[in-house]
Amino acid sequence: MTHLSHTPLTLDDIRAASEVLRGVADATPLVPSPYLEAQFGHPFWLKLENMQPIGAFKLRGALNAVANLPEGTAGVTCCSTGNHGRGVAYAAAERGIRAVVCMSELVPQAKVDGIRALGAEVRIIGRSQDDAQAESHRLVEEEGLAEISPFDDPFVIAGQGTIGLEMLEARPEIETLLVPLSGGGLAAGVALAAKALKPSIRVIGISMDRGAAMYESLRAGHPVEVEEYASLADSLGGGIGMQNRFSYSMCRDLLDDVVLVSEAEIYRAMQTLYYEDRMVAEGGCVVGIAALQAGKLTLTGPTATIITGRNLDMSVFTRIVSGQDVTLGDITVKGMPYGA
Ligand SMILES: *Cc1c(COP(=O)(O)O)cnc(C)c1O
């Protein structure tokens, strides 16, 4: 059900974000996939957010949030070691302000180095994500930094929404948008833009089937906590926050459906995107393709999905494209050669 009038943001907020991003994080290519069109029987486009300067779309939201900080804010902080941390680091450097990314001692050195290389200070605190979170709160209280949420912030949501604006402006014939779904900032923003421009469009969120926090929250009718599992779609892990203020209600009001996919389905879709479209993309990007390959969705016309990022462990990726088993935490995804 669409309730555009109830959302805390409007298309104007997304248009304003477009101005902020211009020349820095906008205008990624929207390319056709002849293979997926032939497979699924409808024109199929890929929005290449893996081409962003940080290798993922989160730069859009981070830039818009940083640009809209209250006057006199001393800098920004967050405790993401993934694409949000990279986005915040890059956005702060772009604007010439201080960024501190808090993380625990357990974070791999490659991730620490990656965030540092983008110009952020890295603060290594304690042995858990909770310790890192506490340090980030301390920086807010004692040093006047602003913490930027990866998904539950109106400026972040508006920034991610510019992707939907660009897609519908380039291809107004799109009837279905398949959006990878975790905390829901991306899906909320994209669905708002798309439905404001084309009320009849269908926007479907897709998550992995273990630890799908937004899916479980929508089912329960309020934010719920879920257990976290290792996944090939690691960018889609994590909770939506029990005090969620924006992304939960927007996903509830704007998404037409949420579909879940298994690790084996993600594995196969990563192979497909690599061999057919020659793309190196995170597991979190291919969940829409995975749902279609698994017969979990029916298309009605021109369709598009967002290739959200490329920041993945290449040793895992090369195992996948060569058909080997992949062990992640407590699970092993059984290998299979492409096309088998
Ligand atoms: C953050 C992220 C997502 C999910 O975005 P949400 O706004 O949290 O739903 C999807 N793909 C990648 C690569 C991401 O980094």
Side-chain angles (χ1 to χ4, degrees), residues 3-62:
H3 304 284
L4 276 184
S5 56
H6 294 227
T7 62
L9 290 169
T10 69
L11 185 59
D12 286 343
D13 297 304
I14 297 174
R15 291 202 190 281
S18 285
E19 294 303 318
V20 170
L21 305 188
R22 184 154 313 207
V24 184
D26 60 339
T28 52
L30 181 66
V31 298
S33 169
Y35 175 82
L36 295 174
E37 169 166 351
Q39 286 294 296
F40 304 137
H42 296 280
F44 201 97
W45 287 284
L46 307 169
K47 176 71 166 162
L48 301 187
E49 289 297 302
N50 53 329
M51 310 280 278
Q52 289 284 5
I54 63 151
F57 74 89
K58 288 222 173 51
L59 181 55
R60 293 180 185 253

Short mmCIF file of all heavy atoms in Angstrom, two decimals, residues 3-62:
data_model
loop_
_atom_site.label_atom_id
_atom_site.label_comp_id
_atom_site.label_asym_id
_atom_site.label_seq_id
_atom_site.Cartn_x
_atom_site.Cartn_y
_atom_site.Cartn_z
N HIS A 3 1.25 5.16 0.85
CA HIS A 3 0.69 6.28 1.62
C HIS A 3 1.69 7.43 1.54
O HIS A 3 2.28 7.79 2.54
CB HIS A 3 0.49 5.91 3.08
CG HIS A 3 -0.35 4.71 3.29
ND1 HIS A 3 -1.71 4.73 3.16
CD2 HIS A 3 -0.01 3.45 3.62
CE1 HIS A 3 -2.18 3.51 3.42
NE2 HIS A 3 -1.18 2.73 3.69
N LEU A 4 1.87 7.97 0.35
CA LEU A 4 2.89 9.01 0.20
C LEU A 4 2.68 10.19 1.13
O LEU A 4 3.62 10.80 1.61
CB LEU A 4 2.91 9.51 -1.25
CG LEU A 4 3.73 8.68 -2.23
CD1 LEU A 4 3.73 9.36 -3.58
CD2 LEU A 4 5.15 8.53 -1.74
N SER A 5 1.43 10.49 1.40
CA SER A 5 1.14 11.70 2.19
C SER A 5 1.58 11.56 3.65
O SER A 5 1.72 12.53 4.35
CB SER A 5 -0.35 12.01 2.13
OG SER A 5 -1.07 10.88 2.57
N HIS A 6 1.81 10.32 4.10
CA HIS A 6 2.19 10.11 5.51
C HIS A 6 3.69 10.14 5.74
O HIS A 6 4.14 10.12 6.87
CB HIS A 6 1.68 8.75 6.00
CG HIS A 6 0.20 8.67 6.05
ND1 HIS A 6 -0.49 8.18 7.12
CD2 HIS A 6 -0.74 9.04 5.16
CE1 HIS A 6 -1.79 8.24 6.88
NE2 HIS A 6 -1.95 8.75 5.69
N THR A 7 4.48 10.10 4.67
CA THR A 7 5.91 9.93 4.89
C THR A 7 6.52 11.21 5.44
O THR A 7 6.08 12.31 5.12
CB THR A 7 6.63 9.54 3.58
OG1 THR A 7 6.46 10.59 2.65
CG2 THR A 7 6.10 8.25 3.01
N PRO A 8 7.57 11.05 6.26
CA PRO A 8 8.22 12.22 6.86
C PRO A 8 9.05 13.01 5.85
O PRO A 8 9.54 14.08 6.17
CB PRO A 8 9.12 11.60 7.93
CG PRO A 8 9.34 10.20 7.51
CD PRO A 8 8.15 9.78 6.72
N LEU A 9 9.21 12.48 4.63
CA LEU A 9 10.01 13.15 3.60
C LEU A 9 9.16 13.30 2.35
O LEU A 9 8.18 12.59 2.17
CB LEU A 9 11.20 12.27 3.21
CG LEU A 9 12.32 12.08 4.21
CD1 LEU A 9 13.24 10.97 3.74
CD2 LEU A 9 13.09 13.37 4.36
N THR A 10 9.57 14.21 1.47
CA THR A 10 8.88 14.35 0.19
C THR A 10 9.90 14.29 -0.95
O THR A 10 11.12 14.33 -0.71
CB THR A 10 8.14 15.70 0.09
OG1 THR A 10 9.13 16.73 0.00
CG2 THR A 10 7.24 15.92 1.30
N LEU A 11 9.36 14.26 -2.16
CA LEU A 11 10.22 14.27 -3.34
C LEU A 11 11.13 15.50 -3.35
O LEU A 11 12.27 15.42 -3.83
CB LEU A 11 9.34 14.24 -4.60
CG LEU A 11 10.05 14.13 -5.94
CD1 LEU A 11 10.90 12.86 -6.01
CD2 LEU A 11 9.05 14.16 -7.09
N ASP A 12 10.66 16.60 -2.79
CA ASP A 12 11.51 17.81 -2.75
C ASP A 12 12.79 17.58 -1.95
O ASP A 12 13.84 18.13 -2.29
CB ASP A 12 10.74 18.99 -2.14
CG ASP A 12 9.70 19.54 -3.11
OD1 ASP A 12 9.81 19.23 -4.32
OD2 ASP A 12 8.81 20.27 -2.65
N ASP A 13 12.69 16.81 -0.87
CA ASP A 13 13.89 16.51 -0.07
C ASP A 13 14.90 15.72 -0.90
O ASP A 13 16.11 15.89 -0.77
CB ASP A 13 13.52 15.70 1.18
CG ASP A 13 12.61 16.47 2.11
OD1 ASP A 13 13.00 17.57 2.51
OD2 ASP A 13 11.51 15.98 2.42
N ILE A 14 14.37 14.84 -1.74
CA ILE A 14 15.25 14.01 -2.58
C ILE A 14 15.85 14.87 -3.70
O ILE A 14 17.03 14.74 -4.02
CB ILE A 14 14.47 12.79 -3.11
CG1 ILE A 14 14.05 11.92 -1.91
CG2 ILE A 14 15.33 11.99 -4.09
CD1 ILE A 14 13.16 10.75 -2.24
N ARG A 15 15.05 15.77 -4.25
CA ARG A 15 15.60 16.69 -5.27
C ARG A 15 16.68 17.58 -4.66
O ARG A 15 17.71 17.86 -5.30
CB ARG A 15 14.48 17.55 -5.86
CG ARG A 15 13.51 16.76 -6.73
CD ARG A 15 12.78 17.69 -7.70
NE ARG A 15 11.69 17.03 -8.38
CZ ARG A 15 11.84 16.21 -9.42
NH1 ARG A 15 13.04 15.95 -9.90
NH2 ARG A 15 10.78 15.64 -9.97
N ALA A 16 16.47 18.02 -3.43
CA ALA A 16 17.50 18.84 -2.76
C ALA A 16 18.78 18.03 -2.56
O ALA A 16 19.89 18.54 -2.76
CB ALA A 16 16.97 19.35 -1.41
N ALA A 17 18.62 16.75 -2.20
CA ALA A 17 19.80 15.89 -2.04
C ALA A 17 20.55 15.75 -3.36
O ALA A 17 21.79 15.75 -3.40
CB ALA A 17 19.38 14.52 -1.50
N SER A 18 19.81 15.67 -4.46
CA SER A 18 20.45 15.57 -5.79
C SER A 18 21.40 16.73 -6.03
O SER A 18 22.48 16.56 -6.61
CB SER A 18 19.41 15.60 -6.91
OG SER A 18 18.75 14.40 -6.97
N GLU A 19 20.98 17.92 -5.60
CA GLU A 19 21.84 19.10 -5.78
C GLU A 19 23.12 18.96 -4.97
O GLU A 19 24.20 19.30 -5.43
CB GLU A 19 21.09 20.38 -5.34
CG GLU A 19 19.89 20.72 -6.21
CD GLU A 19 20.28 20.88 -7.68
OE1 GLU A 19 21.33 21.50 -7.96
OE2 GLU A 19 19.54 20.36 -8.55
N VAL A 20 22.98 18.44 -3.74
CA VAL A 20 24.14 18.26 -2.87
C VAL A 20 25.15 17.28 -3.49
O VAL A 20 26.36 17.47 -3.43
CB VAL A 20 23.69 17.74 -1.48
CG1 VAL A 20 24.89 17.30 -0.64
CG2 VAL A 20 22.88 18.80 -0.75
N LEU A 21 24.62 16.22 -4.10
CA LEU A 21 25.49 15.14 -4.60
C LEU A 21 26.10 15.44 -5.95
O LEU A 21 27.05 14.75 -6.36
CB LEU A 21 24.68 13.85 -4.75
CG LEU A 21 23.93 13.35 -3.52
CD1 LEU A 21 23.37 11.97 -3.79
CD2 LEU A 21 24.83 13.32 -2.31
N ARG A 22 25.57 16.43 -6.63
CA ARG A 22 25.94 16.68 -8.02
C ARG A 22 27.46 16.72 -8.22
O ARG A 22 28.15 17.45 -7.53
CB ARG A 22 25.34 18.01 -8.48
CG ARG A 22 25.61 18.29 -9.95
CD ARG A 22 24.56 19.16 -10.51
NE ARG A 22 23.24 18.63 -10.09
CZ ARG A 22 22.12 18.79 -10.75
NH1 ARG A 22 22.11 19.48 -11.84
NH2 ARG A 22 21.00 18.29 -10.32
N GLY A 23 27.93 15.92 -9.15
CA GLY A 23 29.35 15.93 -9.50
C GLY A 23 30.22 15.12 -8.55
O GLY A 23 31.41 14.94 -8.80
N VAL A 24 29.65 14.63 -7.43
CA VAL A 24 30.46 13.86 -6.48
C VAL A 24 30.00 12.40 -6.42
O VAL A 24 30.80 11.48 -6.50
CB VAL A 24 30.39 14.48 -5.06
CG1 VAL A 24 31.32 13.71 -4.11
CG2 VAL A 24 30.76 15.95 -5.10
N ALA A 25 28.68 12.20 -6.30
CA ALA A 25 28.19 10.82 -6.09
C ALA A 25 26.96 10.52 -6.93
O ALA A 25 26.16 9.67 -6.57
CB ALA A 25 27.88 10.60 -4.62
N ASP A 26 26.78 11.22 -8.04
CA ASP A 26 25.56 11.02 -8.82
C ASP A 26 25.87 10.37 -10.17
O ASP A 26 27.01 10.03 -10.45
CB ASP A 26 24.87 12.37 -9.04
CG ASP A 26 25.77 13.36 -9.78
OD1 ASP A 26 27.00 13.16 -9.77
OD2 ASP A 26 25.24 14.30 -10.37
N ALA A 27 24.82 10.20 -10.95
CA ALA A 27 24.98 9.83 -12.36
C ALA A 27 25.75 8.53 -12.59
O ALA A 27 26.54 8.43 -13.52
CB ALA A 27 25.62 10.99 -13.13
N THR A 28 25.53 7.54 -11.74
CA THR A 28 26.09 6.22 -12.05
C THR A 28 25.33 5.64 -13.24
O THR A 28 24.16 5.98 -13.46
CB THR A 28 25.95 5.29 -10.83
OG1 THR A 28 24.59 5.31 -10.40
CG2 THR A 28 26.86 5.71 -9.69
N PRO A 29 25.96 4.76 -14.02
CA PRO A 29 25.28 4.21 -15.21
C PRO A 29 24.08 3.32 -14.85
O PRO A 29 24.06 2.67 -13.80
CB PRO A 29 26.37 3.35 -15.86
CG PRO A 29 27.66 3.75 -15.23
CD PRO A 29 27.34 4.29 -13.89
N LEU A 30 23.09 3.34 -15.75
CA LEU A 30 21.97 2.40 -15.67
C LEU A 30 22.06 1.59 -16.96
O LEU A 30 21.78 2.10 -18.03
CB LEU A 30 20.64 3.17 -15.60
CG LEU A 30 19.37 2.33 -15.50
CD1 LEU A 30 19.31 1.56 -14.19
CD2 LEU A 30 18.12 3.22 -15.62
N VAL A 31 22.54 0.34 -16.84
CA VAL A 31 22.86 -0.42 -18.05
C VAL A 31 21.90 -1.60 -18.23
O VAL A 31 21.45 -2.21 -17.25
CB VAL A 31 24.33 -0.94 -18.02
CG1 VAL A 31 25.31 0.22 -17.97
CG2 VAL A 31 24.56 -1.90 -16.86
N PRO A 32 21.59 -1.93 -19.48
CA PRO A 32 20.72 -3.08 -19.72
C PRO A 32 21.51 -4.38 -19.53
O PRO A 32 22.71 -4.42 -19.76
CB PRO A 32 20.30 -2.91 -21.18
CG PRO A 32 21.38 -2.11 -21.81
CD PRO A 32 21.99 -1.26 -20.73
N SER A 33 20.81 -5.44 -19.12
CA SER A 33 21.41 -6.77 -19.07
C SER A 33 20.66 -7.65 -20.06
O SER A 33 19.58 -8.14 -19.77
CB SER A 33 21.29 -7.37 -17.67
OG SER A 33 21.66 -8.74 -17.73
N PRO A 34 21.23 -7.83 -21.26
CA PRO A 34 20.55 -8.66 -22.26
C PRO A 34 20.32 -10.09 -21.76
O PRO A 34 19.29 -10.70 -22.05
CB PRO A 34 21.52 -8.65 -23.45
CG PRO A 34 22.38 -7.45 -23.23
CD PRO A 34 22.48 -7.25 -21.75
N TYR A 35 21.27 -10.61 -20.97
CA TYR A 35 21.11 -11.97 -20.46
C TYR A 35 19.90 -12.07 -19.53
O TYR A 35 19.07 -12.97 -19.66
CB TYR A 35 22.38 -12.42 -19.73
CG TYR A 35 22.21 -13.78 -19.09
CD1 TYR A 35 22.36 -14.94 -19.86
CD2 TYR A 35 21.84 -13.91 -17.76
CE1 TYR A 35 22.18 -16.19 -19.29
CE2 TYR A 35 21.65 -15.16 -17.18
CZ TYR A 35 21.81 -16.30 -17.95
OH TYR A 35 21.62 -17.53 -17.40
N LEU A 36 19.81 -11.14 -18.58
CA LEU A 36 18.70 -11.21 -17.62
C LEU A 36 17.37 -10.92 -18.31
O LEU A 36 16.34 -11.49 -17.96
CB LEU A 36 18.95 -10.27 -16.43
CG LEU A 36 20.17 -10.66 -15.58
CD1 LEU A 36 20.44 -9.62 -14.50
CD2 LEU A 36 19.99 -12.05 -14.94
N GLU A 37 17.39 -10.05 -19.32
CA GLU A 37 16.18 -9.81 -20.10
C GLU A 37 15.71 -11.10 -20.77
O GLU A 37 14.53 -11.46 -20.72
CB GLU A 37 16.42 -8.72 -21.16
CG GLU A 37 15.27 -8.62 -22.16
CD GLU A 37 15.27 -7.37 -23.02
OE1 GLU A 37 16.07 -6.44 -22.77
OE2 GLU A 37 14.43 -7.32 -23.94
N ALA A 38 16.65 -11.82 -21.35
CA ALA A 38 16.28 -13.09 -22.01
C ALA A 38 15.79 -14.11 -20.98
O ALA A 38 14.82 -14.84 -21.22
CB ALA A 38 17.48 -13.64 -22.78
N GLN A 39 16.43 -14.17 -19.83
CA GLN A 39 16.03 -15.13 -18.79
C GLN A 39 14.64 -14.86 -18.25
O GLN A 39 13.85 -15.77 -18.03
CB GLN A 39 17.01 -15.06 -17.60
CG GLN A 39 18.35 -15.67 -17.87
CD GLN A 39 18.26 -17.17 -18.08
OE1 GLN A 39 17.89 -17.91 -17.17
NE2 GLN A 39 18.57 -17.60 -19.28
N PHE A 40 14.36 -13.58 -18.01
CA PHE A 40 13.14 -13.24 -17.27
C PHE A 40 12.02 -12.71 -18.17
O PHE A 40 10.90 -12.47 -17.71
CB PHE A 40 13.45 -12.23 -16.15
CG PHE A 40 14.53 -12.71 -15.20
CD1 PHE A 40 15.53 -11.85 -14.77
CD2 PHE A 40 14.56 -14.04 -14.75
CE1 PHE A 40 16.53 -12.29 -13.91
CE2 PHE A 40 15.56 -14.48 -13.89
CZ PHE A 40 16.54 -13.61 -13.48
N GLY A 41 12.32 -12.50 -19.45
CA GLY A 41 11.27 -12.15 -20.39
C GLY A 41 10.84 -10.69 -20.40
O GLY A 41 9.82 -10.36 -21.01
N HIS A 42 11.58 -9.84 -19.73
CA HIS A 42 11.28 -8.40 -19.72
C HIS A 42 12.58 -7.61 -19.72
O HIS A 42 13.59 -8.11 -19.18
CB HIS A 42 10.47 -8.01 -18.47
CG HIS A 42 9.13 -8.67 -18.42
ND1 HIS A 42 8.04 -8.19 -19.12
CD2 HIS A 42 8.70 -9.77 -17.76
CE1 HIS A 42 7.00 -8.98 -18.89
NE2 HIS A 42 7.37 -9.95 -18.07
N PRO A 43 12.56 -6.41 -20.30
CA PRO A 43 13.77 -5.57 -20.22
C PRO A 43 14.25 -5.47 -18.77
O PRO A 43 13.43 -5.37 -17.85
CB PRO A 43 13.30 -4.21 -20.74
CG PRO A 43 12.15 -4.54 -21.64
CD PRO A 43 11.46 -5.73 -21.01
N PHE A 44 15.58 -5.54 -18.58
CA PHE A 44 16.13 -5.59 -17.22
C PHE A 44 17.35 -4.68 -17.15
O PHE A 44 18.28 -4.82 -17.93
CB PHE A 44 16.53 -7.04 -16.88
CG PHE A 44 16.64 -7.30 -15.40
CD1 PHE A 44 15.59 -7.87 -14.70
CD2 PHE A 44 17.80 -6.94 -14.70
CE1 PHE A 44 15.68 -8.11 -13.34
CE2 PHE A 44 17.89 -7.17 -13.34
CZ PHE A 44 16.84 -7.75 -12.65
N TRP A 45 17.33 -3.73 -16.19
CA TRP A 45 18.46 -2.80 -16.05
C TRP A 45 19.14 -2.94 -14.70
O TRP A 45 18.50 -3.27 -13.70
CB TRP A 45 17.97 -1.35 -16.19
CG TRP A 45 17.61 -1.00 -17.57
CD1 TRP A 45 18.47 -0.72 -18.61
CD2 TRP A 45 16.29 -0.87 -18.10
NE1 TRP A 45 17.74 -0.44 -19.75
CE2 TRP A 45 16.41 -0.52 -19.47
CE3 TRP A 45 15.01 -1.02 -17.57
CZ2 TRP A 45 15.31 -0.33 -20.29
CZ3 TRP A 45 13.92 -0.82 -18.39
CH2 TRP A 45 14.08 -0.48 -19.73
N LEU A 46 20.40 -2.60 -14.71
CA LEU A 46 21.23 -2.61 -13.49
C LEU A 46 21.73 -1.19 -13.23
O LEU A 46 22.35 -0.57 -14.11
CB LEU A 46 22.44 -3.53 -13.71
CG LEU A 46 22.15 -4.95 -14.19
CD1 LEU A 46 23.45 -5.64 -14.62
CD2 LEU A 46 21.45 -5.75 -13.10
N LYS A 47 21.46 -0.68 -12.04
CA LYS A 47 21.96 0.65 -11.65
C LYS A 47 23.29 0.43 -10.92
O LYS A 47 23.33 -0.18 -9.84
CB LYS A 47 20.93 1.33 -10.76
CG LYS A 47 21.37 2.69 -10.21
CD LYS A 47 21.41 3.78 -11.26
CE LYS A 47 21.51 5.17 -10.63
NZ LYS A 47 21.98 6.16 -11.63
N LEU A 48 24.37 0.94 -11.49
CA LEU A 48 25.70 0.53 -11.04
C LEU A 48 26.27 1.41 -9.93
O LEU A 48 27.20 2.20 -10.13
CB LEU A 48 26.66 0.49 -12.23
CG LEU A 48 26.24 -0.46 -13.37
CD1 LEU A 48 27.34 -0.55 -14.41
CD2 LEU A 48 25.88 -1.85 -12.83
N GLU A 49 25.76 1.22 -8.72
CA GLU A 49 26.28 1.95 -7.57
C GLU A 49 27.64 1.40 -7.11
O GLU A 49 28.30 2.03 -6.27
CB GLU A 49 25.26 1.93 -6.43
CG GLU A 49 24.04 2.78 -6.72
CD GLU A 49 24.40 4.26 -6.87
OE1 GLU A 49 24.96 4.82 -5.92
OE2 GLU A 49 24.13 4.85 -7.93
N ASN A 50 28.03 0.25 -7.65
CA ASN A 50 29.38 -0.25 -7.38
C ASN A 50 30.44 0.66 -8.01
O ASN A 50 31.61 0.55 -7.69
CB ASN A 50 29.52 -1.70 -7.90
CG ASN A 50 29.12 -1.85 -9.35
OD1 ASN A 50 28.24 -1.13 -9.84
ND2 ASN A 50 29.73 -2.77 -10.05
N MET A 51 30.01 1.58 -8.89
CA MET A 51 30.95 2.51 -9.54
C MET A 51 31.17 3.78 -8.73
O MET A 51 31.89 4.67 -9.17
CB MET A 51 30.41 2.92 -10.92
CG MET A 51 30.00 1.76 -11.79
SD MET A 51 31.39 0.99 -12.59
CE MET A 51 31.59 2.12 -13.95
N GLN A 52 30.56 3.90 -7.57
CA GLN A 52 30.77 5.10 -6.74
C GLN A 52 32.23 5.17 -6.27
O GLN A 52 32.89 4.14 -6.16
CB GLN A 52 29.86 5.04 -5.50
CG GLN A 52 28.39 5.24 -5.79
CD GLN A 52 28.01 6.69 -6.07
OE1 GLN A 52 28.87 7.57 -6.13
NE2 GLN A 52 26.73 6.93 -6.24
N PRO A 53 32.69 6.37 -5.93
CA PRO A 53 34.08 6.51 -5.46
C PRO A 53 34.45 5.58 -4.30
O PRO A 53 35.58 5.13 -4.20
CB PRO A 53 34.17 7.97 -5.01
CG PRO A 53 33.11 8.68 -5.76
CD PRO A 53 32.01 7.68 -6.04
N ILE A 54 33.52 5.28 -3.39
CA ILE A 54 33.84 4.36 -2.30
C ILE A 54 33.40 2.93 -2.63
O ILE A 54 33.44 2.05 -1.78
CB ILE A 54 33.19 4.79 -0.96
CG1 ILE A 54 31.66 4.77 -1.07
CG2 ILE A 54 33.71 6.14 -0.50
CD1 ILE A 54 30.96 4.48 0.25
N GLY A 55 32.92 2.70 -3.84
CA GLY A 55 32.50 1.35 -4.24
C GLY A 55 31.12 0.97 -3.75
O GLY A 55 30.76 -0.21 -3.80
N ALA A 56 30.32 1.92 -3.26
CA ALA A 56 28.97 1.59 -2.79
C ALA A 56 28.12 2.87 -2.70
O ALA A 56 28.65 3.98 -2.57
CB ALA A 56 29.01 0.90 -1.43
N PHE A 57 26.79 2.67 -2.74
CA PHE A 57 25.87 3.80 -2.77
C PHE A 57 25.84 4.63 -1.49
O PHE A 57 25.34 5.76 -1.49
CB PHE A 57 24.43 3.29 -3.04
CG PHE A 57 23.82 2.62 -1.84
CD1 PHE A 57 23.10 3.36 -0.91
CD2 PHE A 57 23.98 1.26 -1.62
CE1 PHE A 57 22.56 2.75 0.22
CE2 PHE A 57 23.45 0.65 -0.50
CZ PHE A 57 22.73 1.40 0.42
N LYS A 58 26.34 4.09 -0.37
CA LYS A 58 26.17 4.78 0.91
C LYS A 58 26.80 6.17 0.94
O LYS A 58 26.47 6.97 1.81
CB LYS A 58 26.70 3.93 2.06
CG LYS A 58 25.78 2.74 2.34
CD LYS A 58 25.59 2.53 3.81
CE LYS A 58 24.56 1.47 4.11
NZ LYS A 58 24.78 0.19 3.40
N LEU A 59 27.66 6.45 -0.01
CA LEU A 59 28.23 7.79 -0.11
C LEU A 59 27.14 8.84 -0.31
O LEU A 59 27.26 9.97 0.17
CB LEU A 59 29.22 7.83 -1.28
CG LEU A 59 29.93 9.15 -1.52
CD1 LEU A 59 30.64 9.65 -0.28
CD2 LEU A 59 30.92 9.00 -2.68
N ARG A 60 26.08 8.48 -1.00
CA ARG A 60 25.01 9.47 -1.26
C ARG A 60 24.40 9.97 0.05
O ARG A 60 24.31 11.17 0.29
CB ARG A 60 23.91 8.84 -2.12
CG ARG A 60 24.36 8.49 -3.53
CD ARG A 60 23.19 7.87 -4.30
NE ARG A 60 23.57 7.39 -5.62
CZ ARG A 60 23.24 7.97 -6.78
NH1 ARG A 60 22.52 9.08 -6.78
NH2 ARG A 60 23.61 7.45 -7.93
N GLY A 61 23.95 9.04 0.88
CA GLY A 61 23.32 9.42 2.14
C GLY A 61 24.29 10.16 3.05
O GLY A 61 23.93 11.15 3.69
N ALA A 62 25.53 9.68 3.10
CA ALA A 62 26.52 10.30 3.99
C ALA A 62 26.80 11.73 3.55
O ALA A 62 26.87 12.64 4.39
CB ALA A 62 27.80 9.47 4.00
#
